[in-house]
């Protein structure tokens, strides 16, 4: 029997250039972000409200962990990485999978992230800034 275990790993992120955006953020957010300064590092990372424990609880409640098994994923560890934009308001957009394992894993993580509540934005020099966030989820299929 295959068993799937997931773990949440936070990866580095960087601030972004907002020349092209999706419709998830309002035009006011995009304009405000374009008017601000962008940093390659920030003092406080964008994060799920409540931190890693809250994110793990959110994933445990909402993630369909049987999906890779149903789609025939072989036994192994799969570190699925997605990146997305966290705006000053905490809204997110432009969720992109950086891995391509298949078996529905990337699509499931994108679904979960897109349905998540607003995040806590990044902070630099005491100011809220727009930033990329990279998030890794480890699936262990046994």
């Amino acid at each position: 029997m295959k068993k799937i275990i997931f773990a949440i790993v936070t990866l580095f992120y960087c601030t972004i250039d907002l020349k092209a955006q999706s419709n998830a953020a309002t035009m006011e957010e995009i304009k405000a972000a374009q008017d601000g300064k962008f940093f390659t590092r920030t003092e406080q990372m964008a994060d799920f409200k409540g931190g890693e424990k809250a994110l793990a609880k959110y994933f445990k409640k909402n993630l369909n962990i049987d999906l890779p098994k149903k789609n025939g994923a072989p036994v192994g560890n799969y570190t699925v990485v997605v990146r997305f934009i966290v705006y000053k308001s905490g809204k997110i957009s432009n969720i992109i999978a950086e891995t391509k394992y298949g078996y529905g894993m990337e699509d499931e993580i994108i679904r979960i992230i897109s349905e998540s509540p607003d995040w806590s934005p990044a902070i630099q020099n005491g100011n809220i800034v727009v930033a990329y966030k990279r998030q890794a989820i480890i699936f262990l299929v046994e």
Side-chain angles (χ1 to χ4, degrees):
M1 178 201 304
K2 293 181 183 177
K3 182 168 91 176
I4 298 177
I5 300 170
F6 71 93
I8 299 170
V9 179
T10 299
L11 301 175
F12 70 91
Y13 67 101
C14 62
T15 56
I16 59 168
D17 180 359
L18 293 173
K19 291 181 181 168
Q21 294 300 327
S22 75
N23 294 329
T26 66
M27 289 307 293
E28 292 82 19
E29 288 177 306
I30 293 170
K31 183 178 180 336
Q34 289 171 329
D35 291 341
K37 293 181 179 178
F38 299 98
F39 301 89
T40 56
R41 303 247 185 238
T42 59
E43 296 165 351
Q44 184 176 332
M45 295 176 26
D47 202 6
F48 190 82
K49 288 186 179 176
E52 292 292 323
K53 287 184 181 181
L55 182 59
K57 183 177 178 181
Y58 172 76
F59 270 87
K60 185 176 181 181
K61 180 179 177 184
N62 296 289
L63 183 68
N64 180 357
I65 62 171
D66 294 326
L67 193 61
K69 178 181 169 183
K70 287 179 183 177
N71 291 328
V75 172
N77 292 334
Y78 302 90
T79 303
V80 176
V81 179
V82 295
R83 87 170 171 244
F84 50 95
I85 298 168
V86 180
Y87 289 91
K88 290 180 180 183
S89 67
K91 294 188 183 325
I92 60 171
S93 71
N94 294 40
I95 307 165
I96 298 169
E98 294 183 351
T99 55
K100 304 283 186 227
Y101 294 114
Y103 305 105
M105 288 183 273
E106 285 85 5
D107 291 339
E108 181 65 359
I109 299 304
I110 289 171
R111 180 187 71 80
I112 293 297
I113 296 288
S114 68
E115 293 175 358
S116 71
D118 290 350
W119 289 55
S120 298
I123 298 175
Q124 177 64 26
N125 296 325
N127 297 309
I128 296 172
V129 296
V130 178
Y132 267 129
K133 173 75 174 179
R134 292 180 79 222
Q135 188 70 51
I137 310 299
I138 302 170
F139 287 90
L140 172 61
V141 180
E142 295 180 330

